[in-house]
Amino acid sequence: MTRELGDVIPAPGEVRPDPAAGFTIETGVTISAAPGTEAVAEHLAAALRPATGFDLPIGPGPDAGAGAVPARTPGGIHLELDETLGDEAYRMVVDPGGIVLTGGDPAGLFYAVQTLRQVLPAEIHADGPRETVWTVPGGLIADRPRFGYRGAMLDVARHFFSVAEVESYLDALVQFKINHLHLHLTDDQGWRLEIESRPELTVVSGGAGTGVDGAGPGFYTQDEYAGLVAYAAARFVTIVPEFDMPGHVNAAQVAYPELTADGVAPGPRTDLEVGYSSLVAGKEETYAFVEDVLREVAALTPGPYLHIGGDEAQATTPEDYRAFIGRVLPLVAKYGKRPVGWHELAGADLPGDAILQYWGIDAADDTTAGAAARGHQVIMSPADRSYLDMRYAADTRPGLDWAGVTDVEKAYGWDPAGRLPGVGEDNLLGVEAPLWSETLRSLADAQTMTFPRLPAIAEIGWSPRVTHDWESFRRRLAAFGPRWREQGIAYHPAPEIPWQ
Ligand code: TNX
């Protein structure tokens, strides 16, 4: 099916189609990579070679800095950088002479590549050669993100996902210009990252029988986790590790009974209850433990953020909560990281750089607004719009429904800057779509809950508000059916989308 230049999710800021001026990628086409673009050129070639069957050799491009004038290779695809475009921004120009992709930085260039993939026929995602005419529609796209933080979250505690599964999930996310993956690494039902100074965490709470219904065992060694962080970084994704505390800690207490009030280990838990476990604010053992965890995780984390959870601490008194958070936040700073917490953290004294992640379901929350007024940045994840674990409809499975059911139109139909009175555009770091895994049992389950709603959240996070248009979105989304089928990505065939 012929593509139109603007048939892209997230909707680009500016699209100037020139239908007379397309370019067809044929055998013999080459890729030229200006200095600094080589790694993205490899991503581009890897995306185009399998389905086209073309060699698409990568050669050096003219170095604009060295005064070489031709900013393109006639008959080819040229990659270059122009920092005046800005962070994560890009431009794509397609005419009969070829394709020029210009990034404000390498991340922006990577997003140009994602846009190019989307305006090629769906068969471009096939893993072997296809007889297809690989025409790219002519014209210009100039694009840049609305928010610098466009996140997804995967709960690997309630159901563990292997490194290969997370990498596959991430490959699907980056096609929508997601740039943060928050990993919920610990909860009552499991502990999923090896901590060398606290080996029992994963020996006891990462193995067989952990996870909801005992169905999601596993953990990452530190080497595996470092590999995952590097895999993400190569795709311009920052991993945000979360260690949920002071609640959601039963798995830690099973492994280290000194973390309970009476020093007696609780039994392992595989049910869905929340709000019953707590670290003990008045015990020094608590802070020795937290410091061991934060120190090791910070050393494994090139990104700026450490997420300390802080949600649903019903088993912690408000005084203990404040005392606990007051001891833990300086530890995050000690190891050079910026703290992120669920919005309940607003009830504690916070350093100015602390970020709140809002997950509420109504607009009556004034603690988050108060924190925003004091200068804290907010990540918007309202459960009734952005939670990927909510059911699509009453009769769809898997999923929960405590925040209601969320069809695609509801996931798309909100503005993060209009969600909470007192939390406007300037208070927002960005948006995130969390996927909790209590009801998930496979990567296919995770994909089914994520697609097609993640593209809605991605568009809300990336696209200028003026482009927001449900009719346009559902038509553009329809084209992803064949793309996901080619990639083997499961998706929910939402009835409101006229799927191709
Ligand atoms: C609430 S949202 C939780 C999680 C659950 C989720 C299920 C939040 C910060 N806490 O513990 O997994 O609901 O939707």
Side-chain angles (χ1 to χ4, degrees):
M1 173 174 279
T2 312
R3 307 285 302 151
E4 289 184 25
L5 188 64
D7 284 352
V8 173
I9 294 177
E14 184 186 351
V15 182
R16 274 190 259 154
D18 184 353
F23 176 73
T24 300
I25 300 173
E26 293 172 305
T27 187
V29 161
T30 61
I31 298 173
S32 67
T37 70
E38 296 84 354
V40 179
E42 294 291 349
H43 282 295
L44 172 65
L48 302 185
R49 280 175 186 148
T52 63
F54 305 152
D55 292 341
L56 299 168
I58 301 171
D63 181 353
V69 181
R72 62 167 51 208
T73 302
I77 308 174
H78 178 62
L79 278 63
E80 61 183 18
L81 297 173
D82 175 357
E83 63 182 29
T84 66
L85 294 181
D87 292 351
E88 299 190 299
Y90 71 90
R91 194 170 54 219
M92 179 173 91
V93 177
V94 182
D95 66 27
I99 301 172
V100 179
L101 305 180
T102 310
D105 55 13
L109 195 61
F110 183 71
Y111 299 136
V113 170
Q114 305 314 318
T115 292
L116 176 58
R117 294 172 80 184
Q118 290 190 12
V119 296
L120 279 160
E123 294 79 17
I124 197 63
H125 300 285
D127 57 10
R130 291 293 178 87
E131 291 297 324
T132 300
V133 180
W134 305 106
T135 300
V136 182
L140 172 145
I141 289 181
D143 202 10
R144 61 188 314 150
R146 176 178 175 189
F147 296 115
Y149 188 107
R150 304 173 304 280
M153 188 207 83
L154 189 60
D155 172 3
V156 297
R158 273 59 171 270
H159 186 87
F160 182 70
F161 294 92
S162 70
V163 169
E165 288 173 327
V166 177
E167 289 177 353
S168 156
Y169 191 67
L170 199 139
D171 284 336
L173 296 175
V174 296
Q175 295 179 37
F176 298 96
K177 305 184 173 81
I178 292 295
N179 66 354
H180 288 78
L181 179 62
H182 166 185
L183 291 177
H184 184 77
L185 288 160
T186 68
D187 214 299
D188 290 314
Q189 302 89 341
W191 186 284
R192 307 304 183 188
L193 179 67
E194 174 191 29
I195 302 295
E196 287 173 355
S197 60
R198 301 282 177 160
E200 296 301 310
L201 286 169
T202 43
V203 170
V204 172
S205 294
T210 63
V212 169
D213 293 345
F219 67 90
Y220 310 118
T221 66
Q222 292 206 355
D223 278 352
E224 287 172 332
Y225 183 79
L228 182 57
V229 169
Y231 185 94
R235 288 150 186 82
F236 304 95
V237 171
T238 300
I239 299 287
V240 181
E242 179 189 350
F243 296 85
D244 204 350
M245 55 182 106
H248 293 273
V249 294
N250 193 72
Q253 293 174 323
V254 176
Y256 288 96
E258 75 225 44
L259 300 176
T260 64
D262 57 8
V264 177
R269 294 282 293 253
T270 60
D271 57 295
L272 273 65
E273 202 182 324
V274 297
Y276 57 84
S277 62
S278 178
L279 293 175
V280 184
K283 267 181 127 175
E284 284 311 303
E285 289 91 332
T286 297
Y287 305 105
F289 172 81
V290 171
E291 181 157 8
D292 282 344
V293 171
L294 295 182
R295 184 184 65 248
E296 292 194 29
V297 175
L300 289 167
T301 302
Y305 309 119
L306 281 192
H307 201 306
I308 59 163
D311 60 313
E312 299 176 321
Q314 284 98 295
T316 317
T317 66
E319 301 72 49
D320 281 354
Y321 186 86
R322 277 192 295 276
F324 174 84
I325 297 294
R327 288 282 302 268
V328 167
L329 289 174
L331 296 174
V332 176
K334 176 175 175 184
Y335 294 104
K337 297 300 172 188
R338 190 171 171 195
V340 188
W342 298 105
H343 69 259
E344 289 98 318
L345 211 62
D349 289 330
L350 303 177
D353 67 344
I355 297 160
L356 299 175
Q357 182 167 8
Y358 176 74
W359 62 277
I361 58 172
D362 59 47
D365 175 277
D366 52 6
T367 57
T368 305
R374 294 192 298 278
H376 293 287
Q377 287 190 293
V378 176
I379 297 169
M380 272 289 162
S381 306
D384 55 336
R385 302 285 185 166
S386 75
Y387 266 33
L388 300 175
D389 62 315
M390 292 301 121
R391 290 177 188 155
Y392 287 93
D395 60 351
T396 64
R397 298 290 183 280
L400 300 174
D401 61 2
W402 65 263
V405 297
T406 304
D407 63 16
V408 183
E409 187 168 6
K410 185 173 167 193
Y412 185 72
W414 64 291
D415 181 4
R419 172 59 196 237
L420 270 188
V423 182
E425 188 88 12
D426 293 343
N427 304 115
L428 295 175
L429 189 63
V431 296
E432 185 179 295
L435 178 55
W436 303 95
S437 59
E438 291 94 327
T439 64
L440 310 183
R441 295 294 177 270
S442 65
L443 179 61
D445 280 352
Q447 293 167 335
T448 303
M449 301 307 279
T450 303
F451 301 104
R453 288 181 294 197
L454 181 279
I457 305 303
E459 178 151 316
I460 284 168
W462 175 282
S463 303
R465 194 63 194 168
V466 292
T467 65
H468 192 86
D469 178 25
W470 166 244
E471 286 305 322
S472 162
F473 180 74
R474 64 193 278 272
R475 187 186 53 74
R476 285 177 286 121
L477 189 57
F480 284 85
R483 282 172 201 279
W484 290 326
R485 293 196 293 275
E486 288 287 4
Q487 296 179 74
I489 295 172
Y491 64 97
H492 173 67
E496 67 265 49
I497 306 302
W499 296 106
Q500 292 176 15

Short mmCIF file of all heavy atoms in Angstrom, two decimals, residues 155 158 187 248 274 311-312 342 359 387 389-390 400 402 436 438, ligand 1:
data_model
loop_
_atom_site.label_atom_id
_atom_site.label_comp_id
_atom_site.label_asym_id
_atom_site.label_seq_id
_atom_site.Cartn_x
_atom_site.Cartn_y
_atom_site.Cartn_z
N ASP A 155 7.03 -4.04 34.66
CA ASP A 155 7.11 -4.65 35.99
C ASP A 155 7.68 -6.06 35.79
O ASP A 155 6.99 -6.96 35.30
CB ASP A 155 5.70 -4.69 36.58
CG ASP A 155 5.59 -5.47 37.89
OD1 ASP A 155 6.62 -5.96 38.39
OD2 ASP A 155 4.45 -5.58 38.40
N ARG A 158 6.51 -8.82 39.39
CA ARG A 158 5.34 -9.71 39.47
C ARG A 158 5.43 -10.82 38.43
O ARG A 158 4.96 -11.93 38.64
CB ARG A 158 4.06 -8.92 39.27
CG ARG A 158 3.48 -8.29 40.53
CD ARG A 158 4.45 -7.31 41.21
NE ARG A 158 3.80 -6.57 42.28
CZ ARG A 158 3.19 -5.38 42.09
NH1 ARG A 158 3.20 -4.81 40.89
NH2 ARG A 158 2.60 -4.78 43.10
N ASP A 187 9.46 -6.13 44.18
CA ASP A 187 8.13 -5.95 44.78
C ASP A 187 7.92 -7.08 45.78
O ASP A 187 8.84 -7.86 46.05
CB ASP A 187 7.03 -5.91 43.71
CG ASP A 187 5.90 -4.96 44.11
OD1 ASP A 187 5.27 -5.22 45.16
OD2 ASP A 187 5.68 -3.97 43.40
N HIS A 248 6.02 -2.61 49.57
CA HIS A 248 6.31 -3.52 48.45
C HIS A 248 7.64 -4.25 48.63
O HIS A 248 8.38 -4.45 47.66
CB HIS A 248 6.31 -2.76 47.11
CG HIS A 248 4.97 -2.23 46.71
ND1 HIS A 248 4.05 -2.96 46.00
CD2 HIS A 248 4.38 -1.02 46.93
CE1 HIS A 248 2.96 -2.23 45.78
NE2 HIS A 248 3.14 -1.05 46.34
N VAL A 274 -1.65 -5.59 48.02
CA VAL A 274 -0.61 -4.56 48.17
C VAL A 274 -0.78 -3.88 49.52
O VAL A 274 -1.83 -3.97 50.16
CB VAL A 274 -0.68 -3.49 47.05
CG1 VAL A 274 -0.41 -4.09 45.68
CG2 VAL A 274 -2.01 -2.75 47.09
N ASP A 311 5.29 4.19 46.75
CA ASP A 311 3.84 4.11 46.60
C ASP A 311 3.22 3.16 47.63
O ASP A 311 3.88 2.27 48.15
CB ASP A 311 3.49 3.60 45.19
CG ASP A 311 4.08 2.23 44.91
OD1 ASP A 311 5.28 2.04 45.20
OD2 ASP A 311 3.35 1.34 44.44
N GLU A 312 1.95 3.36 47.85
CA GLU A 312 1.10 2.43 48.61
C GLU A 312 1.74 1.93 49.89
O GLU A 312 1.67 0.74 50.22
CB GLU A 312 0.75 1.22 47.72
CG GLU A 312 -0.02 1.61 46.48
CD GLU A 312 -0.30 0.44 45.56
OE1 GLU A 312 0.57 -0.43 45.38
OE2 GLU A 312 -1.39 0.42 44.98
N TRP A 342 7.05 7.64 43.11
CA TRP A 342 5.62 7.79 42.86
C TRP A 342 5.11 8.99 43.65
O TRP A 342 5.76 9.42 44.62
CB TRP A 342 4.89 6.50 43.24
CG TRP A 342 5.35 5.32 42.42
CD1 TRP A 342 6.16 4.31 42.86
CD2 TRP A 342 5.06 5.04 41.04
NE1 TRP A 342 6.39 3.41 41.83
CE2 TRP A 342 5.72 3.83 40.70
CE3 TRP A 342 4.31 5.68 40.05
CZ2 TRP A 342 5.66 3.26 39.44
CZ3 TRP A 342 4.25 5.10 38.78
CH2 TRP A 342 4.91 3.92 38.48
N TRP A 359 0.40 8.91 39.44
CA TRP A 359 -0.30 7.74 38.91
C TRP A 359 -1.78 7.72 39.31
O TRP A 359 -2.45 6.70 39.19
CB TRP A 359 0.39 6.46 39.35
CG TRP A 359 0.44 6.20 40.84
CD1 TRP A 359 1.34 6.71 41.72
CD2 TRP A 359 -0.45 5.37 41.61
NE1 TRP A 359 1.08 6.25 42.99
CE2 TRP A 359 -0.01 5.42 42.95
CE3 TRP A 359 -1.55 4.57 41.30
CZ2 TRP A 359 -0.65 4.72 43.98
CZ3 TRP A 359 -2.19 3.88 42.33
CH2 TRP A 359 -1.74 3.96 43.65
N TYR A 387 -2.03 3.57 32.04
CA TYR A 387 -1.66 2.25 32.57
C TYR A 387 -1.97 1.16 31.55
O TYR A 387 -3.12 0.89 31.24
CB TYR A 387 -2.40 1.97 33.89
CG TYR A 387 -1.60 2.37 35.10
CD1 TYR A 387 -0.74 3.46 35.05
CD2 TYR A 387 -1.70 1.66 36.30
CE1 TYR A 387 0.00 3.82 36.16
CE2 TYR A 387 -0.96 2.02 37.41
CZ TYR A 387 -0.11 3.10 37.34
OH TYR A 387 0.62 3.46 38.43
N ASP A 389 -1.69 -1.92 31.90
CA ASP A 389 -2.22 -3.17 32.45
C ASP A 389 -3.73 -3.11 32.69
O ASP A 389 -4.32 -4.11 33.11
CB ASP A 389 -1.51 -3.57 33.75
CG ASP A 389 -1.69 -2.56 34.87
OD1 ASP A 389 -1.56 -1.34 34.60
OD2 ASP A 389 -1.97 -2.99 36.01
N MET A 390 -4.37 -1.98 32.43
CA MET A 390 -5.83 -1.94 32.53
C MET A 390 -6.43 -2.65 31.31
O MET A 390 -5.89 -2.55 30.20
CB MET A 390 -6.34 -0.50 32.60
CG MET A 390 -5.96 0.21 33.89
SD MET A 390 -6.59 -0.61 35.37
CE MET A 390 -5.05 -0.94 36.24
N LEU A 400 -6.07 -5.80 34.61
CA LEU A 400 -6.82 -5.44 35.81
C LEU A 400 -7.82 -4.36 35.42
O LEU A 400 -7.81 -3.87 34.28
CB LEU A 400 -5.86 -4.91 36.89
CG LEU A 400 -4.77 -5.88 37.35
CD1 LEU A 400 -3.80 -5.18 38.29
CD2 LEU A 400 -5.37 -7.11 38.02
N TRP A 402 -8.99 -1.88 38.13
CA TRP A 402 -9.25 -1.00 39.28
C TRP A 402 -9.31 0.48 38.87
O TRP A 402 -9.97 1.27 39.54
CB TRP A 402 -8.24 -1.22 40.40
CG TRP A 402 -6.82 -0.85 40.07
CD1 TRP A 402 -5.84 -1.70 39.66
CD2 TRP A 402 -6.22 0.44 40.13
NE1 TRP A 402 -4.67 -1.03 39.44
CE2 TRP A 402 -4.87 0.30 39.73
CE3 TRP A 402 -6.68 1.72 40.49
CZ2 TRP A 402 -3.98 1.38 39.66
CZ3 TRP A 402 -5.80 2.79 40.41
CH2 TRP A 402 -4.46 2.61 40.01
N TRP A 436 2.15 -3.01 34.52
CA TRP A 436 2.28 -3.91 35.67
C TRP A 436 1.94 -5.31 35.21
O TRP A 436 1.12 -5.51 34.31
CB TRP A 436 1.34 -3.43 36.79
CG TRP A 436 1.60 -2.02 37.20
CD1 TRP A 436 0.96 -0.91 36.75
CD2 TRP A 436 2.61 -1.56 38.13
NE1 TRP A 436 1.50 0.22 37.35
CE2 TRP A 436 2.50 -0.16 38.20
CE3 TRP A 436 3.57 -2.21 38.90
CZ2 TRP A 436 3.33 0.62 39.00
CZ3 TRP A 436 4.38 -1.46 39.71
CH2 TRP A 436 4.27 -0.06 39.76
N GLU A 438 0.97 -8.31 37.01
CA GLU A 438 0.28 -9.34 37.81
C GLU A 438 -0.46 -10.36 36.95
O GLU A 438 -0.51 -11.55 37.30
CB GLU A 438 -0.74 -8.69 38.77
CG GLU A 438 -0.14 -7.88 39.89
CD GLU A 438 -0.04 -6.40 39.56
OE1 GLU A 438 0.17 -6.06 38.38
OE2 GLU A 438 -0.16 -5.59 40.50
C1 TNX B 1 -0.88 0.07 41.76
S1 TNX B 1 0.52 2.27 40.59
C2 TNX B 1 0.47 -0.12 42.04
C3 TNX B 1 1.11 -1.39 41.70
C4 TNX B 1 0.17 -2.34 41.02
C5 TNX B 1 -0.72 -1.59 40.07
C6 TNX B 1 -1.61 -2.45 39.27
C7 TNX B 1 1.48 1.99 41.74
C8 TNX B 1 2.50 2.99 41.97
N1 TNX B 1 1.30 0.88 42.47
O1 TNX B 1 1.64 -1.99 42.86
O2 TNX B 1 0.91 -3.29 40.34
O3 TNX B 1 -1.50 -0.68 40.82
O4 TNX B 1 -2.28 -1.72 38.28
#
